[in-house]
Amino acid sequence: STIVLIYKVVGEGTEKMSKMQAGEELDLLVGLGNGFNAENDCKNPLVIGGGVGCAIAYPTAKALKENGAEVHSIIGFRNSDLVILEDEFRAVSDKVVLMSDDGSCGEKGLVTPDRLPEVGEHFCDGKIGYHLRDGRHFLSREDWNAYIDFLNNKFEEGRNND
């Protein structure tokens, strides 16, 4: 079995990881959080990943595609130097929208809207159109808002650290 680790060097721990050689041992704490079940009736999912969050979004997109879904993916990064997994997303997605904060690759803008539409309302936030519908969903409004808050905080932290 193989585990692929995708990380960005941001501190002492990841700096040490970047200098490891093949065959060296690494202690991992994994399996945190809630998994995603791709074996569902979702036939046209939109998978959104921002920055290193694409490392989580990619296996989700892949599993949904393997389950027969028509996958659309939106992936965003601060700039073209930070793009990861673009080819992999293209291989498992029927459509990919690439975005960057500075416009150096893909469309200029963030993957996140400033607000969610009301049920049945359509609106466009920058280059992406959004629509929420009634019915069974796997992501609640609270989950979405928590995700947006998390990304906004991470984007802000990244800008403050530059």
Side-chain angles (χ1 to χ4, degrees), residues 25-95:
E25 288 188 18
L26 176 66
D27 290 327
L28 295 175
L29 176 61
V30 297
L32 304 175
N34 298 315
F36 178 82
N37 180 7
E39 295 180 14
N40 57 58
D41 61 358
C42 186
K43 296 300 176 199
N44 301 97
L46 172 61
V47 177
I48 302 173
V52 295
C54 289
I56 300 299
Y58 167 68
T60 300
K62 181 179 179 189
L64 287 164
K65 186 66 175 176
E66 289 170 352
N67 196 44
E70 180 179 323
V71 178
H72 291 227
S73 298
I74 301 172
I75 55 174
F77 306 92
R78 270 193 268 161
N79 58 56
S80 60
D81 294 333
L82 298 175
V83 175
I84 59 170
L85 300 171
E86 179 183 0
D87 292 338
E88 289 83 349
F89 271 99
R90 292 192 186 283
V92 301
S93 302
D94 295 276
K95 180 172 180 164

Side-chain angles (χ1 to χ4, degrees), residues 9-162:
V9 176
V10 294
E12 184 179 333
T14 49
E15 176 69 29
K16 287 179 181 178
M17 283 176 54
S18 73
K19 294 180 175 147
M20 293 180 73
Q21 300 298 313
E24 285 189 61
E25 288 188 18
L26 176 66
D27 290 327
L28 295 175
L29 176 61
V30 297
L32 304 175
N34 298 315
F36 178 82
N37 180 7
E39 295 180 14
N40 57 58
D41 61 358
C42 186
K43 296 300 176 199
N44 301 97
L46 172 61
V47 177
I48 302 173
V52 295
C54 289
I56 300 299
Y58 167 68
T60 300
K62 181 179 179 189
L64 287 164
K65 186 66 175 176
E66 289 170 352
N67 196 44
E70 180 179 323
V71 178
H72 291 227
S73 298
I74 301 172
I75 55 174
F77 306 92
R78 270 193 268 161
N79 58 56
S80 60
D81 294 333
L82 298 175
V83 175
I84 59 170
L85 300 171
E86 179 183 0
D87 292 338
E88 289 83 349
F89 271 99
R90 292 192 186 283
V92 301
S93 302
D94 295 276
K95 180 172 180 164
V96 174
V97 176
L98 174 65
M99 301 187 74
S100 59
D101 295 9
D102 65 359
S104 60
C105 62
E107 302 288 336
K108 183 176 181 176
L110 302 177
V111 298
T112 56
D114 291 331
R115 67 176 182 87
L116 283 176
E118 296 301 318
V119 172
E121 174 192 6
H122 299 267
F123 80 94
C124 185
D125 182 45
K127 302 279 185 181
I128 303 174
Y130 294 86
H131 173 71
L132 289 185
R133 62 176 171 75
D134 284 324
R136 189 167 164 213
H137 298 286
F138 295 98
L139 183 67
S140 71
R141 181 175 288 275
E142 291 77 24
D143 290 336
W144 180 262
N145 287 337
Y147 174 71
I148 298 297
D149 288 344
F150 171 78
L151 284 181
N152 285 337
N153 289 337
K154 289 300 171 190
F155 282 130
E156 195 58 39
E157 285 174 17
R159 287 189 182 107
N160 291 337
N161 291 333
D162 288 340

